[in-house]
Protein backbone atom coordinates (compact mmCIF):
# COMPACT_ATOMS: atom_id res chain seq x y z
CA UNK A 1 0.00 0.00 0.00
CA UNK A 2 1.32 3.45 -0.88
CA UNK A 3 2.08 5.98 1.80
CA UNK A 4 -0.72 8.40 2.56
CA UNK A 5 0.02 11.77 4.09
CA UNK A 6 -2.61 13.62 6.10
CA UNK A 7 -2.56 17.40 6.16
CA UNK A 8 -4.00 17.29 9.68
CA UNK A 9 -1.78 16.17 12.59
CA UNK A 10 -2.93 12.81 13.95
CA UNK A 11 -2.02 13.88 17.50
CA UNK A 12 -2.18 17.37 18.96
CA UNK A 13 0.08 18.55 21.76
CA UNK A 14 -2.80 18.01 24.19
CA UNK A 15 -3.28 14.45 22.89
CA UNK A 16 0.38 13.68 23.56
CA UNK A 17 0.22 15.17 27.04
CA UNK A 18 -2.92 13.17 27.87
CA UNK A 19 -1.12 10.03 26.76
CA UNK A 20 2.37 10.62 28.19
CA UNK A 21 1.78 12.26 31.59
CA UNK A 22 -0.42 9.44 33.00
CA UNK A 23 2.12 6.94 31.65
CA UNK A 24 4.88 8.63 33.63
CA UNK A 25 2.80 8.47 36.80
CA UNK A 26 1.86 4.85 36.05
CA UNK A 27 5.47 3.80 35.51
CA UNK A 28 6.42 5.44 38.80
CA UNK A 29 3.66 3.51 40.54
CA UNK A 30 4.72 0.23 38.89
CA UNK A 31 8.29 0.73 40.12
CA UNK A 32 6.92 1.59 43.56
CA UNK A 33 5.44 -1.91 43.98
CA UNK A 34 8.90 -3.52 43.91
CA UNK A 35 10.49 -0.72 45.89
CA UNK A 36 7.88 -0.86 48.63
CA UNK A 37 8.31 -4.63 49.00
CA UNK A 38 12.09 -4.22 49.28
CA UNK A 39 12.04 -1.26 51.65
CA UNK A 40 9.28 -2.57 53.94
CA UNK A 41 10.79 -6.05 54.16
CA UNK A 42 14.20 -4.50 54.94
CA UNK A 43 13.10 -4.43 58.60
CA UNK A 44 13.41 -8.23 58.53
CA UNK A 45 17.09 -8.01 57.51
CA UNK A 46 19.55 -7.98 54.62
CA UNK A 47 18.93 -11.65 53.76
CA UNK A 48 15.26 -10.85 53.14
CA UNK A 49 16.20 -7.98 50.80
CA UNK A 50 18.65 -10.24 48.99
CA UNK A 51 16.08 -13.06 48.66
CA UNK A 52 13.50 -10.75 47.09
CA UNK A 53 16.18 -9.30 44.82
CA UNK A 54 17.09 -12.73 43.44
CA UNK A 55 13.45 -13.59 42.70
CA UNK A 56 12.79 -10.19 41.14
CA UNK A 57 15.52 -10.97 38.61
CA UNK A 58 13.50 -14.04 37.53
CA UNK A 59 10.17 -12.19 37.77
CA UNK A 60 11.37 -9.41 35.50
CA UNK A 61 12.37 -12.00 32.88
CA UNK A 62 8.89 -13.52 32.84
CA UNK A 63 7.05 -10.20 33.10
CA UNK A 64 9.02 -8.96 30.08
CA UNK A 65 7.79 -11.96 28.08
CA UNK A 66 4.19 -11.03 28.95
CA UNK A 67 4.92 -7.38 28.18
CA UNK A 68 6.35 -8.33 24.77
CA UNK A 69 3.15 -10.12 23.84
CA UNK A 70 1.16 -7.13 25.08
CA UNK A 71 3.30 -4.84 22.91
CA UNK A 72 2.55 -7.01 19.89
CA UNK A 73 -1.17 -6.67 20.62
CA UNK A 74 -0.86 -2.92 21.16
CA UNK A 75 0.92 -2.46 17.81
CA UNK A 76 -1.75 -4.45 15.97
CA UNK A 77 -4.62 -2.66 17.74
CA UNK A 78 -3.02 0.77 17.17
CA UNK A 79 -2.53 0.10 13.48
CA UNK A 80 -6.13 -1.07 13.09
CA UNK A 81 -7.33 2.09 14.84
CA UNK A 82 -5.09 4.21 12.60
CA UNK A 83 -6.73 2.48 9.63
CA UNK A 84 -10.19 3.19 11.13
CA UNK A 85 -10.96 -0.55 11.49
CA UNK A 86 -12.38 -0.77 15.04
CA UNK A 87 -13.99 -4.26 14.65
CA UNK A 88 -10.62 -5.81 13.79
CA UNK A 89 -9.03 -3.96 16.73
CA UNK A 90 -11.65 -5.45 19.08
CA UNK A 91 -11.10 -8.94 17.70
CA UNK A 92 -7.33 -8.57 18.15
CA UNK A 93 -7.87 -7.48 21.77
CA UNK A 94 -9.73 -10.69 22.59
CA UNK A 95 -7.01 -12.82 20.98
CA UNK A 96 -4.34 -10.97 22.92
CA UNK A 97 -5.97 -11.39 26.33
CA UNK A 98 -6.60 -15.10 25.91
CA UNK A 99 -3.13 -15.82 24.52
CA UNK A 100 -1.48 -13.83 27.34
CA UNK A 101 -3.51 -15.50 30.08
CA UNK A 102 -2.97 -19.06 28.83
CA UNK A 103 0.77 -18.54 28.36
CA UNK A 104 1.07 -17.13 31.89
CA UNK A 105 -0.78 -20.10 33.41
CA UNK A 106 1.69 -22.51 31.80
CA UNK A 107 4.71 -20.50 32.93
CA UNK A 108 3.28 -20.11 36.44
CA UNK A 109 2.79 -23.87 36.79
CA UNK A 110 6.37 -24.54 35.67
CA UNK A 111 7.65 -22.01 38.21
CA UNK A 112 5.61 -23.57 41.02
CA UNK A 113 6.85 -27.08 40.27
CA UNK A 114 10.50 -26.13 39.68
CA UNK A 115 10.75 -23.42 42.35
CA UNK A 116 13.94 -24.24 44.29
CA UNK A 117 15.56 -26.06 41.36
CA UNK A 118 15.20 -23.01 39.11
CA UNK A 119 16.69 -20.72 41.74
CA UNK A 120 19.63 -23.09 42.32
CA UNK A 121 20.32 -23.39 38.59
CA UNK A 122 20.31 -19.61 38.12
CA UNK A 123 22.04 -18.39 41.26
CA UNK A 124 24.10 -21.38 42.38
CA UNK A 125 25.09 -21.55 46.03
CA UNK A 126 23.92 -18.58 48.11
CA UNK A 127 23.43 -18.32 51.86
CA UNK A 128 20.74 -20.74 53.06
CA UNK A 129 18.64 -18.00 54.66
CA UNK A 130 18.72 -15.96 51.44
CA UNK A 131 17.62 -19.03 49.46
CA UNK A 132 14.77 -19.84 51.89
CA UNK A 133 13.42 -16.30 51.53
CA UNK A 134 13.77 -16.49 47.76
CA UNK A 135 11.83 -19.78 47.58
CA UNK A 136 8.93 -18.32 49.56
CA UNK A 137 8.74 -15.13 47.47
CA UNK A 138 9.08 -17.05 44.17
CA UNK A 139 6.17 -19.36 45.04
CA UNK A 140 3.83 -16.44 45.72
CA UNK A 141 5.11 -14.57 42.65
CA UNK A 142 4.34 -17.56 40.39
CA UNK A 143 0.70 -17.50 41.50
CA UNK A 144 0.45 -13.91 40.30
CA UNK A 145 1.79 -14.46 36.75
CA UNK A 146 -1.62 -14.92 35.05
CA UNK A 147 -2.88 -11.72 36.69
CA UNK A 148 0.23 -9.80 35.57
CA UNK A 149 -0.15 -11.04 31.99
CA UNK A 150 -3.84 -10.15 31.75
CA UNK A 151 -3.31 -6.74 33.30
CA UNK A 152 -0.35 -5.96 30.99
CA UNK A 153 -2.41 -6.93 27.94
CA UNK A 154 -5.37 -4.83 29.06
CA UNK A 155 -3.19 -1.83 29.89
CA UNK A 156 -1.52 -2.05 26.47
CA UNK A 157 -4.94 -2.04 24.81
CA UNK A 158 -6.01 1.09 26.68
CA UNK A 159 -2.75 2.76 25.67
CA UNK A 160 -3.38 1.85 22.03
CA UNK A 161 -6.67 3.78 22.34
CA UNK A 162 -4.72 6.78 23.64
CA UNK A 163 -6.18 6.29 27.12
CA UNK A 164 -3.35 5.84 29.61
CA UNK A 165 -5.33 7.34 32.49
CA UNK A 166 -7.06 3.99 33.16
CA UNK A 167 -3.82 2.05 33.74
CA UNK A 168 -2.48 4.94 35.85
CA UNK A 169 -5.49 4.82 38.19
CA UNK A 170 -5.33 1.03 38.44
CA UNK A 171 -1.62 1.26 39.28
CA UNK A 172 -2.50 3.70 42.06
CA UNK A 173 -5.04 1.19 43.41
CA UNK A 174 -2.42 -1.59 43.20
CA UNK A 175 0.05 0.44 45.24
CA UNK A 176 -2.51 1.27 47.92
CA UNK A 177 -3.44 -2.41 48.28
CA UNK A 178 0.22 -3.46 48.28
CA UNK A 179 1.32 -0.92 50.89
CA UNK A 180 -1.64 -1.67 53.16
CA UNK A 181 -1.09 -5.42 52.76
CA UNK A 182 2.62 -5.10 53.51
CA UNK A 183 1.93 -3.03 56.62
CA UNK A 184 -0.54 -5.59 57.95
CA UNK A 185 1.28 -8.80 56.97
CA UNK A 186 4.89 -7.72 57.60
CA UNK A 187 4.58 -5.42 60.62
CA UNK A 188 1.50 -6.81 62.42
CA UNK A 189 1.44 -10.52 61.51
CA UNK A 190 5.25 -10.73 61.18
CA UNK A 191 5.08 -12.76 57.95
CA UNK A 192 8.28 -11.20 56.55
CA UNK A 193 8.97 -12.09 52.91
CA UNK A 194 5.74 -14.13 52.72
CA UNK A 195 3.78 -11.03 53.72
CA UNK A 196 5.36 -8.97 50.94
CA UNK A 197 4.64 -11.68 48.38
CA UNK A 198 1.03 -12.20 49.50
CA UNK A 199 0.24 -8.47 49.40
CA UNK A 200 1.67 -8.20 45.88
CA UNK A 201 -0.34 -11.25 44.75
CA UNK A 202 -3.63 -9.76 45.96
CA UNK A 203 -2.92 -6.36 44.39
CA UNK A 204 -2.15 -7.93 41.00
CA UNK A 205 -5.29 -10.06 41.10
CA UNK A 206 -7.42 -6.98 41.74
CA UNK A 207 -5.70 -5.11 38.87
CA UNK A 208 -6.45 -7.92 36.40
CA UNK A 209 -10.11 -8.14 37.39
CA UNK A 210 -10.65 -4.38 37.21
CA UNK A 211 -9.10 -4.00 33.75
CA UNK A 212 -11.15 -6.88 32.32
CA UNK A 213 -14.34 -5.26 33.62
CA UNK A 214 -13.39 -1.88 32.11
CA UNK A 215 -12.62 -3.43 28.72
CA UNK A 216 -16.23 -4.63 28.48
CA UNK A 217 -17.53 -1.04 28.19
CA UNK A 218 -18.74 -0.50 24.64
CA UNK A 219 -17.97 3.22 24.85
CA UNK A 220 -14.29 2.30 24.38
CA UNK A 221 -12.89 2.32 20.81
CA UNK A 222 -11.71 -1.21 21.65
CA UNK A 223 -13.97 -3.38 23.80
CA UNK A 224 -14.49 -7.06 24.62
CA UNK A 225 -17.51 -8.78 23.12
CA UNK A 226 -18.56 -12.27 24.24
CA UNK A 227 -15.20 -12.65 25.96
CA UNK A 228 -15.72 -16.13 27.44
CA UNK A 229 -16.43 -17.71 24.06
CA UNK A 230 -12.95 -17.83 22.58
CA UNK A 231 -11.85 -19.23 19.26
CA UNK A 232 -8.24 -18.71 18.10
CA UNK A 233 -7.86 -16.58 14.98
CA UNK A 234 -4.76 -17.56 13.04
CA UNK A 235 -4.46 -14.27 11.06
CA UNK A 236 -4.86 -12.04 14.12
CA UNK A 237 -2.62 -14.15 16.34
CA UNK A 238 -0.09 -14.19 13.51
CA UNK A 239 -0.08 -10.37 13.36
CA UNK A 240 0.29 -10.11 17.14
CA UNK A 241 3.08 -12.69 17.22
CA UNK A 242 4.86 -11.02 14.29
CA UNK A 243 5.81 -8.29 16.75
CA UNK A 244 5.35 -10.23 19.99
CA UNK A 245 7.69 -13.14 19.26
CA UNK A 246 10.76 -11.09 18.23
CA UNK A 247 10.04 -8.66 21.06
CA UNK A 248 9.57 -11.55 23.47
CA UNK A 249 12.81 -13.22 22.38
CA UNK A 250 14.59 -9.88 22.68
CA UNK A 251 13.18 -9.14 26.13
CA UNK A 252 13.57 -12.72 27.27
CA UNK A 253 17.20 -12.98 26.18
CA UNK A 254 17.87 -9.57 27.69
CA UNK A 255 16.57 -10.78 31.04
CA UNK A 256 18.38 -14.11 30.70
CA UNK A 257 21.52 -12.04 30.31
CA UNK A 258 20.62 -10.12 33.46
CA UNK A 259 20.10 -13.42 35.28
CA UNK A 260 23.52 -14.65 34.20
CA UNK A 261 24.98 -11.39 35.41
CA UNK A 262 22.98 -11.69 38.64
CA UNK A 263 24.58 -15.10 39.13
CA UNK A 264 27.99 -13.46 38.75
CA UNK A 265 26.99 -10.72 41.22
CA UNK A 266 25.86 -13.34 43.76
CA UNK A 267 29.45 -14.64 43.77
CA UNK A 268 30.58 -11.20 45.01
CA UNK A 269 28.70 -11.74 48.30
CA UNK A 270 25.50 -10.67 50.08
CA UNK A 271 26.51 -6.98 50.23
CA UNK A 272 26.89 -6.89 46.43
CA UNK A 273 23.50 -8.58 45.96
CA UNK A 274 21.83 -6.02 48.24
CA UNK A 275 23.63 -3.10 46.56
CA UNK A 276 22.59 -4.38 43.14
CA UNK A 277 18.96 -4.59 44.32
CA UNK A 278 19.08 -0.98 45.53
CA UNK A 279 20.58 0.27 42.26
CA UNK A 280 18.00 -1.66 40.24
CA UNK A 281 15.22 0.01 42.24
CA UNK A 282 16.63 3.53 42.07
CA UNK A 283 17.71 3.09 38.45
CA UNK A 284 14.15 2.17 37.57
CA UNK A 285 13.02 5.52 38.97
CA UNK A 286 15.54 7.52 36.97
CA UNK A 287 14.52 6.04 33.60
CA UNK A 288 10.75 6.24 34.19
CA UNK A 289 10.26 9.19 31.78
CA UNK A 290 12.01 7.39 28.93
CA UNK A 291 10.09 4.16 29.58
CA UNK A 292 6.76 6.02 29.68
CA UNK A 293 7.46 7.89 26.45
CA UNK A 294 8.55 4.63 24.84
CA UNK A 295 5.16 3.10 25.67
CA UNK A 296 3.39 6.15 24.29
CA UNK A 297 5.51 5.97 21.15
CA UNK A 298 4.05 2.53 20.37
CA UNK A 299 0.56 4.06 20.25
CA UNK A 300 1.55 7.18 18.31
CA UNK A 301 3.78 5.53 15.70
CA UNK A 302 1.46 2.51 15.49
CA UNK A 303 -1.51 4.68 14.52
CA UNK A 304 0.58 6.70 12.07
CA UNK A 305 1.82 3.51 10.41
CA UNK A 306 -1.74 2.14 10.29
CA UNK A 307 -2.67 5.27 8.35
CA UNK A 308 0.51 4.79 6.23
CA UNK A 309 1.71 8.27 7.21
CA UNK A 310 5.46 7.76 7.57
CA UNK A 311 6.24 11.46 7.71
CA UNK A 312 4.18 11.97 10.87
CA UNK A 313 5.57 8.76 12.41
CA UNK A 314 9.10 10.12 11.96
CA UNK A 315 8.22 13.60 13.22
CA UNK A 316 6.45 12.39 16.37
CA UNK A 317 9.38 10.06 17.15
CA UNK A 318 11.85 12.97 17.03
CA UNK A 319 9.61 15.12 19.23
CA UNK A 320 8.97 12.45 21.85
CA UNK A 321 12.59 11.26 22.04
CA UNK A 322 13.67 14.89 22.50
CA UNK A 323 11.20 15.23 25.37
CA UNK A 324 12.56 11.97 26.83
CA UNK A 325 16.07 13.43 26.95
CA UNK A 326 14.82 16.56 28.67
CA UNK A 327 12.76 14.91 31.40
CA UNK A 328 15.34 12.17 32.01
CA UNK A 329 17.92 14.84 32.72
CA UNK A 330 15.61 16.13 35.45
CA UNK A 331 14.78 12.69 36.90
CA UNK A 332 18.42 11.55 37.01
CA UNK A 333 19.54 14.79 38.62
CA UNK A 334 16.92 14.24 41.32
CA UNK A 335 18.04 10.65 41.93
CA UNK A 336 21.68 11.78 42.08
CA UNK A 337 20.99 14.58 44.57
CA UNK A 338 18.83 12.37 46.80
CA UNK A 339 20.84 9.19 46.24
CA UNK A 340 22.51 8.84 49.63
CA UNK A 341 19.28 9.54 51.52
CA UNK A 342 17.37 7.02 49.36
CA UNK A 343 20.02 4.33 49.86
CA UNK A 344 19.80 4.86 53.63
CA UNK A 345 16.10 3.85 53.58
CA UNK A 346 17.07 0.29 52.62
CA UNK A 347 18.73 -0.29 55.99
CA UNK A 348 21.64 -2.34 54.58
CA UNK A 349 25.27 -2.58 55.69
CA UNK A 350 27.79 0.21 55.20
CA UNK A 351 29.59 -1.93 52.61
CA UNK A 352 26.42 -2.42 50.56
CA UNK A 353 25.55 1.29 50.81
CA UNK A 354 29.01 2.33 49.57
CA UNK A 355 28.78 -0.07 46.61
CA UNK A 356 25.31 1.21 45.71
CA UNK A 357 26.41 4.87 45.74
CA UNK A 358 29.47 4.16 43.57
CA UNK A 359 27.32 2.48 40.92
CA UNK A 360 24.51 5.04 41.09
CA UNK A 361 26.75 8.04 40.30
CA UNK A 362 27.97 6.69 36.93
CA UNK A 363 24.55 5.22 36.13
CA UNK A 364 22.77 8.59 36.37
CA UNK A 365 25.24 10.23 33.99
CA UNK A 366 25.01 7.39 31.44
CA UNK A 367 21.23 7.31 31.72
CA UNK A 368 20.87 10.95 30.67
CA UNK A 369 23.26 10.67 27.71
CA UNK A 370 22.50 7.23 26.27
CA UNK A 371 19.29 5.61 27.60
CA UNK A 372 16.64 7.28 25.36
CA UNK A 373 18.53 6.43 22.16
CA UNK A 374 19.02 2.85 23.39
CA UNK A 375 15.49 2.10 24.63
CA UNK A 376 13.00 4.80 23.55
CA UNK A 377 13.96 5.01 19.86
CA UNK A 378 13.58 1.25 19.17
CA UNK A 379 9.94 1.40 20.30
CA UNK A 380 9.21 3.48 17.20
CA UNK A 381 10.80 0.74 15.08
CA UNK A 382 8.74 -1.96 16.83
CA UNK A 383 5.53 0.03 16.38
CA UNK A 384 6.21 0.03 12.64
CA UNK A 385 6.71 -3.75 12.70
CA UNK A 386 10.53 -3.70 12.48
CA UNK A 387 10.82 -5.98 15.51
CA UNK A 388 13.25 -8.50 14.01
CA UNK A 389 15.90 -5.82 13.56
CA UNK A 390 15.61 -4.56 17.14
CA UNK A 391 15.74 -8.17 18.35
CA UNK A 392 18.91 -8.95 16.40
CA UNK A 393 20.80 -5.86 17.52
CA UNK A 394 19.71 -6.21 21.14
CA UNK A 395 20.75 -9.84 21.38
CA UNK A 396 24.12 -9.22 19.70
CA UNK A 397 24.94 -6.28 21.94
CA UNK A 398 23.75 -8.00 25.10
CA UNK A 399 25.76 -11.22 24.68
CA UNK A 400 28.96 -9.54 23.52
CA UNK A 401 29.02 -6.40 25.64
CA UNK A 402 26.65 -6.69 28.58
CA UNK A 403 27.42 -10.30 29.50
CA UNK A 404 30.91 -10.71 28.08
CA UNK A 405 32.22 -7.44 29.46
CA UNK A 406 30.56 -8.11 32.84
CA UNK A 407 32.81 -11.13 33.30
CA UNK A 408 35.83 -9.30 31.91
CA UNK A 409 35.40 -6.13 33.98
CA UNK A 410 33.61 -7.51 37.03
CA UNK A 411 35.47 -10.78 37.56
CA UNK A 412 38.69 -10.89 35.52
CA UNK A 413 39.64 -7.24 36.16
CA UNK A 414 38.19 -7.51 39.69
CA UNK A 415 36.04 -4.36 39.42
CA UNK A 416 33.17 -6.21 41.10
CA UNK A 417 29.67 -4.71 40.97
CA UNK A 418 30.93 -1.43 39.43
CA UNK A 419 32.43 -3.38 36.50
CA UNK A 420 29.16 -5.18 35.85
CA UNK A 421 27.22 -1.92 35.64
CA UNK A 422 29.90 -0.33 33.44
CA UNK A 423 29.51 -3.25 31.02
CA UNK A 424 25.77 -2.54 30.89
CA UNK A 425 26.44 1.10 29.97
CA UNK A 426 28.80 0.01 27.17
CA UNK A 427 25.96 -2.17 25.87
CA UNK A 428 23.71 0.92 25.78
CA UNK A 429 26.20 2.80 23.60
CA UNK A 430 26.30 0.00 21.01
CA UNK A 431 22.49 -0.28 20.89
CA UNK A 432 22.06 3.47 20.53
CA UNK A 433 24.43 3.63 17.55
CA UNK A 434 22.60 0.91 15.61
CA UNK A 435 19.07 2.11 16.41
CA UNK A 436 19.78 5.72 15.47
CA UNK A 437 21.30 4.63 12.15
CA UNK A 438 18.25 2.47 11.44
CA UNK A 439 15.85 5.28 12.25
CA UNK A 440 17.69 7.70 9.93
CA UNK A 441 17.11 5.29 7.04
CA UNK A 442 13.81 4.17 5.53
CA UNK A 443 13.79 0.37 5.73
CA UNK A 444 11.83 0.39 9.01
CA UNK A 445 9.02 2.28 7.24
CA UNK A 446 8.54 -0.65 4.85
CA UNK A 447 7.66 -3.14 7.61
CA UNK A 448 4.10 -4.54 7.61
CA UNK A 449 2.10 -5.92 10.55
CA UNK A 450 -1.43 -5.74 9.13
CA UNK A 451 -2.37 -5.88 5.46
Amino acid sequence: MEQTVSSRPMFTGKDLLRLILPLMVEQMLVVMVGMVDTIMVATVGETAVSGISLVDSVNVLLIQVFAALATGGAVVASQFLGRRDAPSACAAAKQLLWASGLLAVVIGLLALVGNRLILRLVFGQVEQEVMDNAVTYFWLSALSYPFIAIYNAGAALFRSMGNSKVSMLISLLVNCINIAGNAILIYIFQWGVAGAGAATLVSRAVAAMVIIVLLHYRSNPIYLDDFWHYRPSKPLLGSILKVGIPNGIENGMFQVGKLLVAGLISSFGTAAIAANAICNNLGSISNIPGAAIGLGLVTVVGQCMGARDHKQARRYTRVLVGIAYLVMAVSNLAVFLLGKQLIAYYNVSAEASAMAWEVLVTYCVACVIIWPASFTVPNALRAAGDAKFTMGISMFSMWIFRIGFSYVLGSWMQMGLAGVWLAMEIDWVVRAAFFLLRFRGHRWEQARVIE
Side-chain angles (χ1 to χ4, degrees), residues 249-373:
I249 293 173
E250 176 186 340
N251 289 351
M253 289 297 99
F254 180 75
Q255 297 304 325
V256 166
K258 288 185 70 174
L259 284 176
L260 291 174
V261 172
L264 172 63
I265 291 170
S266 68
S267 70
F268 299 153
T270 301
I273 297 173
N276 189 59
I278 293 169
C279 291
N280 280 330
N281 282 167
L282 298 182
S284 297
I285 293 175
S286 67
N287 62 38
I288 280 171
I293 291 172
L295 291 173
L297 206 53
V298 171
T299 297
V300 173
V301 174
Q303 290 198 25
C304 290
M305 296 302 291
R308 298 293 186 257
D309 195 333
H310 304 159
K311 185 177 180 181
Q312 290 206 55
R314 190 178 287 274
R315 179 166 63 84
Y316 284 125
T317 300
R318 289 196 182 103
V319 169
L320 290 174
V321 171
I323 294 171
Y325 269 103
L326 178 63
V327 291
M328 285 192 70
V330 175
S331 66
N332 278 274
L333 179 61
V335 169
F336 174 77
L337 293 175
L338 299 172
K340 289 187 177 179
Q341 293 92 323
L342 292 171
I343 291 170
Y345 279 113
Y346 287 87
N347 194 33
V348 295
S349 65
E351 182 186 5
S353 296
M355 282 188 193
W357 174 245
E358 179 186 8
V359 167
L360 196 62
V361 170
T362 55
Y363 175 88
C364 287
V365 174
C367 211
V368 174
I369 299 171
I370 312 165
W371 201 96

Side-chain angles (χ1 to χ4, degrees), residues 37 79 114 150 186 204 239 343 355 367 394 445:
D37 279 357
Q79 292 203 13
I150 290 169
I186 296 174
R204 288 170 172 168
S239 294
I343 291 170
M355 282 188 193
C367 211
S394 297
E445 296 172 344

Side-chain angles (χ1 to χ4, degrees), residues 21 125 134 156 175 254 364 375 390 393 430:
L21 289 181
Q125 297 297 319
N175 272 270
F254 180 75
C364 287
F375 295 98
T390 61
I393 294 303
V430 175

